[in-house]
Amino acid sequence: MKVCYLDAFSGISGDMTVAALVDAGADVAAILDGLSSLNTGAELSFEPVRRKGIAALKFQVCGGEQRAHRHLPQIVKMIEASNLPDIAKQNAVAVFTRLGEAESKTHGVPIEKVHFHEVGAVDSICDIVGACHALALLGVERIVCSPLNTGSGSVNTEHGLLPVPAPATSRLLAGAPVYSRGPALELTTPTGAALVATLAQEFGSLPAMTL
């Protein structure tokens, strides 16, 4: 069984998850081809970077239609019309549905009427779909996530200044082990929280495995 362990010691976000999975061996060309089939018009790239002397990879989404107010059915149609593998489509739709449920409860509106603000933008769509596609390409059968560092402080959103973790993020992480350590920043984003809340089978320390 192929296991993916997400070590979220500094939180988790969608773009960092995509880049980490590509760095772990997911095929770049296949990722870019799958995301291009969403027809967002965005330019996608992976850039080698160094952080504190450590080599890493950065996933960037530039341009495209950054209309911030999409509904769940619109996003689902984009995903279903793509050339992604079925398992990637199913997981991506499941992640957005989980996110929609959290937003629905937070704002007190039916899930079909939820406006996806920041997470409805092209970059967030590519982050979630890209992560699901990368996991499918790697043949991951089980995902285990460490306790999540949420960060602290506040974050500016379409709904004004909110505490970290933001309300929807808190709902997504209900039942998961969380803590706050380090700088007063949003370390676990809504997209990152939605990915682990939907796809991780277990939370805890590193399971026994052959790396």
Side-chain angles (χ1 to χ4, degrees):
M1 174 181 287
K2 187 171 285 189
V3 178
C4 172
Y5 183 68
L6 299 170
D7 188 0
F9 75 97
S10 189
I12 187 169
S13 67
D15 60 327
M16 289 192 288
T17 302
V18 178
L21 291 170
V22 167
D23 223 6
D27 185 78
V28 174
I31 294 281
L32 295 177
D33 178 67
L35 292 180
S36 294
S37 71
L38 293 170
N39 294 315
T40 62
E43 293 185 10
L44 312 168
S45 64
F46 290 92
E47 174 192 356
V49 294
R50 291 175 68 85
R51 297 289 184 265
K52 302 293 185 180
I54 304 297
L57 202 61
K58 182 177 178 64
F59 175 52
Q60 298 196 89
V61 180
C62 300
E65 188 202 355
Q66 291 291 344
R67 181 162 57 90
H69 293 209
R70 288 183 175 85
H71 291 88
L72 179 61
Q74 292 173 283
I75 297 173
V76 170
K77 284 182 181 178
M78 291 175 67
I79 295 169
E80 290 180 342
S82 71
N83 67 4
L84 293 162
D86 287 343
I87 185 62
K89 289 182 181 180
Q90 292 166 15
N91 284 339
V93 169
V95 172
F96 271 108
T97 300
R98 185 73 173 266
L99 187 52
E101 290 168 349
E103 294 282 2
S104 172
K105 291 177 182 176
T106 297
H107 301 297
V109 299
I111 189 170
E112 297 81 9
K113 295 186 180 297
V114 168
H115 281 104
F116 285 85
H117 298 294
E118 289 89 349
V119 294
V122 167
D123 55 352
S124 293
I125 292 172
C126 289
D127 291 346
I128 289 176
V129 175
C132 292
H133 191 18
L135 289 165
L137 289 169
L138 288 170
V140 171
E141 300 167 81
R142 178 171 170 243
I143 298 173
V144 180
C145 184
S146 71
L148 291 139
N149 188 353
T150 63
S152 61
S154 58
V155 61
N156 282 308
T157 74
E158 287 277 344
H159 300 285
L161 192 67
L162 294 176
V164 172
T169 303
S170 296
R171 288 185 183 278
L172 287 163
L173 296 179
V178 299
Y179 64 97
S180 174
R181 185 179 302 154
L185 299 169
E186 182 184 47
L187 298 181
T188 294
T189 67
T191 53
L195 283 165
V196 296
T198 309
L199 303 178
Q201 284 86 19
E202 184 181 340
F203 290 89
S205 56
L206 182 71
M209 63 168 72
T210 299
L211 295 175

